[in-house]
Amino acid sequence: MKDFMETALDIAYSRMGRTSPNPAVGAVIVKDGAVISTGGTAAYGGPHAEAEAIRAALDRGISLKGAEIYVSLEPCGHYGKTPPCAMAIRDAGIGRAHIALMDPNPLVSGSGARILKEGGVDVVFEKEYSESAYDLIRPFEKYIRQKKPFIVYKSAVTLDGRTASIKGDSKWISSSLSRCLVHRMRSKVDAVIVGKNTLFSDNPSLNVRLDEFEQEAAFFAENTINVSGRENGFINRLMRAKDETPGDPLRVIIGLNAGVAEDAHVWDGGNYLVFETEDNYARLLEENPAKRDFLRNLNIFFISGSREERVEAALRELGRRGIMFAMLEGGAALAGSFFDSGNIDQFLYFIAPVLAGAGRPSVDGQGTDFMADAARLFDISSAMISDDILFCGYRNDKCLQDL
C-alpha cells in the first residue's frame, strides 16, 4: 500500500505547474495487488487524475470491478469543468478508495467521500500521508479560500544575511546545486515575480533552464539528501524527482523605471505582465520620448494605493487570471512590501558559507521594535545542499482540520 500512495503523490508532484487553478492530483488503480493504471490532473478544463486513470484501464479492456484506487486528494463531488470524479469511481465498480487528504475547499470538502460511501465504495483515509499530500496542495488551499496565489519567497543569502554586495553584485552567492533547485522550483510555479530594480540591475530571464544543470541533476539522482526537521513532501520531491520538460512561468514585473531596456530578457516571447501605477507610467512616457512606442506596447495592468495596497491589487489580478502558485525572487524592497502586507506564505532560503560584511538585506520591510513581535515561521525543514543550507518555513501553521 505504501508504494501505491507514494506513487500517487509522485504523480501529483509531476503535474504541479500545469493544472492551475485546479490542484495537482495523482491516482493509482490497483487490482489483485498490481498497478493496472495511473492518472494525473490534466491542464485546466481537462480530465482529473481519477478520470484519467479509469479511462486508461477501460481503454485496455480491464474490468475495474473490485479494484482499489489510491488518490492524493479527495475525489471531487461536484460538477465543474468535468463531472464528479467520485461518481466516476463509483460507476466504474471500484470497491475501495484510499484517500490521502480531504479537499480543502470548504464548499465541497467531504462531498466526494460521501458520494463514494453512499455508492457502496469503501473509503479509507490514509492519515500517514496527509502532511505530505498537504505540502503539494498548499497553493490550492490559499487560492480556493482567498482567490490569490500562494507566494514562496526564494532568496540566496550570505551567512550574515546579505543578498548582494554593497555595489549590488549577487552572482553567485549559492552553489550550482542550489541554483538547480531554483530552476526546478520555477518549473512548478505559475509565475515568477521581480521588481523594477532587479529587472534593471540583473536583466533576469526568469525562465526554466534545467538543461544547464545536467551534472547537478545527476548528483540529486545518485545521492540522498537528508532533510532535518519536518518531513516536507514538496521539498523532498523537489530534490529527488526526475526533471521533466517544463513550460516557463509567467514573468511578472512590479514597477518600471527609466532604465528599463527594450531588449530585456523578460520581454522574450511576450509571456510577461507588468504592474505599474498610472501616474508613474505617465511620468515615464513624458520623460522618455525615445521609449514611448516601446512603453505603450508593454502589457501593463495599472494598480494604485500604498506599497502594500499595490501588492494586494497585483495578487488579486493574478488570482483572477488563474495564477495559483508564484515565486517571488526579488528584490529586498519588493519582498518587504509583500512581507508587510502578509502575502509571503513560504520562505525558501539558500544560505551560503559566505560573509559579505555589508550589503543588501533579504527583506527590507517596516520591521518591528521588539523581537517578540517578529514573524515566527512554522513547519520548518532544512537540508545541506553541497556547502549551502536549504531552509524552508511557512508563515502560517497547518490549518487543515484533517491533519
Side-chain angles (χ1 to χ4, degrees):
M1 184 272 288
K2 181 175 182 179
D3 290 342
F4 300 146
M5 188 60 83
E6 287 289 352
T7 299
L9 292 169
D10 288 342
I11 294 171
Y13 172 83
S14 73
R15 299 300 174 97
M16 291 182 71
R18 307 178 184 185
T19 68
S20 296
N22 283 340
V25 180
V28 176
I29 299 179
V30 176
K31 190 171 184 180
D32 298 326
V35 175
I36 58 175
S37 65
T38 63
T41 309
Y44 183 60
H48 292 185
E50 303 91 329
E52 188 178 77
I54 291 171
R55 178 196 54 77
L58 295 180
D59 284 352
R60 293 163 53 203
I62 300 175
S63 170
L64 295 181
K65 184 174 178 59
E68 300 180 51
I69 188 169
Y70 292 77
V71 289
S72 61
L73 186 66
E74 177 191 9
C76 62
H78 65 290
Y79 284 90
K81 293 286 185 180
T82 61
C85 290
M87 291 184 181
I89 293 171
R90 177 199 65 193
D91 296 344
I94 293 173
R96 177 173 293 171
H98 300 263
I99 300 172
L101 190 70
M102 292 283 282
D103 192 325
N105 186 344
L107 297 178
V108 299
S109 182
S111 63
R114 183 171 60 254
I115 290 172
L116 291 172
K117 291 177 181 178
E118 291 175 352
V121 179
D122 185 20
V123 176
V124 181
F125 287 101
E126 305 292 355
K127 293 289 188 177
E128 64 178 295
Y129 297 98
S130 292
E131 289 202 20
S132 187
Y134 179 48
D135 290 331
L136 302 183
I137 58 95
R138 287 178 189 256
F140 173 68
E141 182 195 31
K142 181 183 179 182
Y143 180 85
I144 205 67
R145 292 176 183 270
Q146 301 183 30
K147 300 303 179 187
K148 295 189 298 183
F150 181 97
I151 302 296
V152 54
Y153 176 42
K154 183 280 300 181
S155 185
V157 299
T158 63
L159 193 59
D160 51 350
R162 306 297 178 176
T163 60
S165 69
I166 56 176
K167 290 189 176 182
D169 177 48
S170 62
K171 296 184 178 180
W172 296 103
I173 292 175
S174 60
S175 68
S176 61
L177 287 173
S178 295
R179 297 197 297 277
C180 175
L181 291 182
V182 170
H183 281 264
R184 285 186 172 185
M185 186 78 183
R186 282 183 185 173
S187 74
K188 297 300 174 186
V189 300
D190 305 314
V192 175
I193 305 171
V194 298
K196 59 183 179 183
N197 294 330
T198 298
L199 175 62
F200 173 72
S201 61
D202 294 351
N203 188 21
S205 297
L206 305 183
N207 58 2
V208 181
R209 302 188 301 277
L210 292 172
D211 57 339
E212 295 181 6
F213 298 94
E214 293 182 2
Q215 290 183 338
E216 290 76 9
F219 175 86
F220 286 117
E222 297 168 2
N223 296 273
T224 299
I225 306 296
N226 294 319
V227 177
S228 300
R230 179 178 175 276
E231 280 289 321
N232 188 302
F234 178 81
I235 296 299
N236 285 341
R237 288 175 173 81
L238 186 70
M239 291 189 290
R240 67 175 172 81
K242 182 179 179 181
D243 289 334
E244 301 176 358
T245 303
D248 287 327
L250 176 70
R251 303 155 180 170
V252 177
I253 303 96
I254 299 186
L256 292 170
N257 60 30
V260 59
E262 297 185 36
D263 60 351
H265 297 319
V266 294
W267 316 132
D268 294 346
N271 184 33
Y272 71 88
L273 177 63
V274 177
F275 289 100
E276 183 55 282
T277 66
E278 291 190 75
D279 288 345
N280 192 50
Y281 180 67
R283 182 182 60 80
L284 288 172
L285 288 174
E286 178 68 23
E287 296 177 358
N288 299 273
K291 291 185 177 181
R292 283 177 185 170
D293 288 342
F294 161 68
L295 291 171
R296 284 172 176 153
N297 287 318
L298 287 178
N299 184 17
I300 296 180
F301 184 89
F302 292 113
I303 52 179
S304 61
S306 66
R307 289 198 322 167
E308 291 75 22
E309 289 171 338
R310 294 197 299 271
V311 166
E312 190 70 23
L315 294 184
R316 292 290 178 190
E317 176 59 21
L318 290 176
R320 190 187 68 80
R321 295 172 183 241
I323 301 298
M324 185 170 73
F325 193 10
M327 182 159 64
L328 176 64
E329 292 206 29
L334 184 62
S337 297
F338 273 71
F339 181 78
D340 291 339
S341 64
N343 278 301
I344 298 180
D345 304 288
Q346 179 182 3
F347 293 80
L348 196 67
Y349 274 49
F350 295 90
I351 306 169
V354 178
L355 293 165
R360 297 178 180 176
S362 172
V363 177
D364 189 9
Q366 297 174 357
T368 61
D369 292 330
F370 303 100
M371 278 298 169
D373 299 323
R376 182 166 295 277
L377 303 184
F378 301 90
D379 293 348
I380 307 302
S381 303
S382 64
M384 290 298 301
I385 309 296
S386 183
D387 292 331
D388 298 341
I389 298 174
L390 169 63
F391 174 92
C392 173
Y394 296 89
R395 186 71 175 266
N396 295 315
D397 200 359
K398 296 184 292 291
C399 60
L400 286 182
Q401 297 298 317
D402 302 284
L403 292 183

